[in-house]
Amino acid sequence: MKILAIDTSTPVGSIAIVEGALLKAQHILNISATHNQRLLPGIDRILTDADWTLDDLDGLAVSLGPGSFTGLRIGLSVVKGLAWATGKPLAGVPTLDALAANVPLSPYPIYPVLDARKGEIYTALYRIGDEQVPERLTPYVAIKPEKLADLISEKTLLVGDALLRYGDYLTGKLGDRLHLVPPHLNVVHASSVAWLAWHKLRRGIHEDISSCTPLYVRPSEAELNRMSE
């Protein structure tokens, strides 16, 4: 099964292609160019490098969020357009699930942590389950780092870009209860999105393209402004 996966949930965008559980190629860019500028050229490049076309694909995958509202809309719009045009099934993967999948051998509980801005962190609690797939144990939430620290009572692994902003605080607060990963694992990898999508698509699980929407967790600024009017 050949799958093209993308992640645009954070400023570090990535594209990957897999064949079954085998990663064929991955393209990660942490640059100032917007996802609008680099996504379609990136897809074309990675397919060309692998000597694949869109027709060769068996499925498409995208990270659904939480994350950047604009980035999520761009990524989902592009992948939905490709799914409509090609008739390929689309698997949506929550961003925190994909981030937890970066550390499939963790013996500890996992809190993937994404910077949600406004002094908050997007997170949920996971443990590694069957086939090394992360199992989510709590709802997706946006919480203060102080609240996250209060939830951690045992040795726990944290992974994600929120550590750039809150890592020093959490390290000081949690001490030896906190286990960190090498920094390159703190970004969402499209290969992890693809891997989780493969587990879904091979069981015939996919999204309804017309109703598939981003997973925002909290309302956008525009929605908050409308509610206050």
Side-chain angles (χ1 to χ4, degrees), residues 9 13-14 27 34 52 54 60 63 78 102-103 112 125 138 190 192 199 222:
S9 60
S14 60
H27 186 197
T34 66
W52 288 7
L54 289 173
L60 300 156
S63 57
V78 167
N102 282 1
V103 286
L125 177 63
T138 65
S192 293
H199 280 278

Side-chain angles (χ1 to χ4, degrees), residues 12-217:
V12 185
S14 60
I15 306 166
I17 52 176
V18 299
E19 188 167 8
L22 176 65
L23 175 65
K24 299 291 286 186
Q26 181 166 226
H27 186 197
I28 299 175
L29 274 179
N30 186 6
I31 61 174
S32 59
T34 66
H35 295 305
N36 238 356
Q37 296 172 296
R38 59 189 177 177
L39 185 54
L40 286 174
I43 291 172
D44 181 66
R45 177 179 173 181
I46 202 169
L47 289 173
T48 299
D49 287 348
D51 198 26
W52 288 7
T53 69
L54 289 173
D55 288 337
D56 292 322
L57 299 174
D58 299 299
L60 300 156
V62 63
S63 57
L64 293 177
S68 161
F69 289 10
T70 300
L72 293 172
R73 287 194 293 268
I74 291 170
L76 189 57
S77 295
V78 167
V79 173
K80 287 174 73 169
L82 294 176
W84 278 116
T86 62
K88 309 295 184 182
L90 168 62
V93 175
T95 307
L96 292 171
D97 293 19
L99 192 53
N102 282 1
V103 286
L105 299 178
S106 173
Y108 308 116
I110 303 166
Y111 274 109
V113 289
L114 288 174
D115 190 352
R117 310 300 178 186
K118 299 184 177 181
E120 292 185 327
I121 294 170
Y122 292 125
T123 193
L125 177 63
Y126 295 78
R127 290 187 185 272
I128 298 301
D130 295 339
E131 299 185 85
Q132 303 301 319
V133 174
E135 296 180 354
R136 182 168 55 89
L137 305 178
T138 65
Y140 306 112
V141 293
I143 61 174
K144 298 290 185 182
E146 297 85 358
K147 176 62 174 177
L148 175 60
D150 289 342
L151 294 175
I152 297 174
S153 59
E154 61 180 308
K155 187 79 167 180
T156 301
L157 186 147
L158 268 63
V159 53
D161 68 4
L163 294 171
L164 291 173
R165 189 180 295 262
Y166 303 112
D168 289 344
Y169 166 78
L170 292 168
T171 299
K173 185 76 172 178
L174 296 172
D176 61 8
R177 283 175 287 164
L178 180 62
H179 187 73
L180 301 178
V181 301
H184 71 279
L185 294 177
N186 285 326
V187 299
V188 183
H189 291 180
S191 54
S192 293
V193 176
W195 184 58
L196 294 179
W198 172 69
H199 280 278
K200 295 179 67 173
L201 291 172
R202 67 180 179 149
R203 301 197 303 272
I205 301 172
H206 55 84
E207 311 301 327
D208 179 88
I209 300 173
S210 61
S211 61
C212 183
T213 57
L215 174 64
Y216 289 133
V217 175

